[in-house]
Amino acid sequence: MDGESLRGAAGAKGRKIHLLFALERATGLVLARLDVGEKTNEITCSMPLLDTVADLAGTVVTSDAMHTRREYPGYLLGRGAHYIVTVKGNQKKLRRQLKSLPWEDIPLQGRTRDIGHGRSEMRRIKVATANSLLFPRSPPGRPDQAPAH
């Protein structure tokens, strides 16, 4: 799931058009899209957008830090989906918990380097199990849903 402002497109009164998309990663097929209105933002539109996707059970939904809010993963888990979110400063306690993990001891699983949006970005992937996170996870006794990592 991601949002984009459409370049060169404008709505009524010159409002820049901003859409939120749900797409299938492997094919790039857009599953749903929603105009993020002038009086709202992506946060309030994420769950209504995903409500239009019939079955999320067993899928993995990825989103950026804007959607790393407690109600969003709870919604996804309630629909039987898994999630991957980016944790930044908007979840201070969770970020503090994650920063305290022994990252130096965790093996690197992958790395990408890209240039986009006028900057160089490097992303590193490490995977760790973290118990007792201050964030929604699947309920105990639900082996079909892995805990949030």
Side-chain angles (χ1 to χ4, degrees):
M1 184 169 59
D2 199 10
E4 293 292 329
S5 291
L6 303 180
R7 291 184 187 179
K13 301 178 186 174
R15 177 184 75 86
K16 199 172 198 180
I17 296 174
H18 188 82
L19 299 176
L20 184 62
F21 294 92
L23 51 105
E24 200 278 325
R25 180 70 100 193
T27 63
L29 178 68
V30 174
L31 303 174
R33 75 170 186 252
L34 187 65
D35 184 358
V36 176
E38 185 175 8
K39 304 271 186 204
T40 187
N41 60 41
E42 285 184 27
I43 295 168
T44 58
C45 292
S46 61
M47 290 181 275
L49 171 76
L50 292 175
D51 281 341
T52 68
V53 178
D55 186 14
L56 291 178
T59 64
V60 177
V61 179
T62 62
S63 55
D64 57 26
M66 182 184 306
H67 301 284
T68 307
R69 306 172 69 80
R70 296 183 69 78
E71 62 276 3
Y72 176 66
Y75 164 83
L76 292 172
L77 292 171
R79 299 252 341 247
H82 307 278
Y83 65 88
I84 298 173
V85 293
T86 302
V87 179
K88 290 187 176 179
N90 61 330
Q91 291 289 333
K92 291 179 184 4
K93 290 179 183 177
L94 176 60
R95 185 167 171 85
R96 196 174 318 122
Q97 274 190 301
L98 293 173
K99 285 181 90 171
S100 72
L101 293 172
W103 292 108
E104 297 297 321
D105 300 332
I106 299 170
L108 185 64
Q109 301 295 313
R111 177 188 344 215
T112 63
R113 184 180 300 229
D114 294 308
I115 297 175
H117 302 288
R119 63 183 179 263
S120 176
E121 295 180 345
M122 181 181 285
R123 294 192 169 116
R124 295 173 189 89
I125 299 172
K126 293 186 174 192
V127 178
T129 298
N131 295 316
S132 304
L133 287 179
L134 300 170
F135 209 64
R137 54 180 279 174
S138 60
R142 294 280 310 268
D144 59 316
Q145 294 180 347
H149 298 290

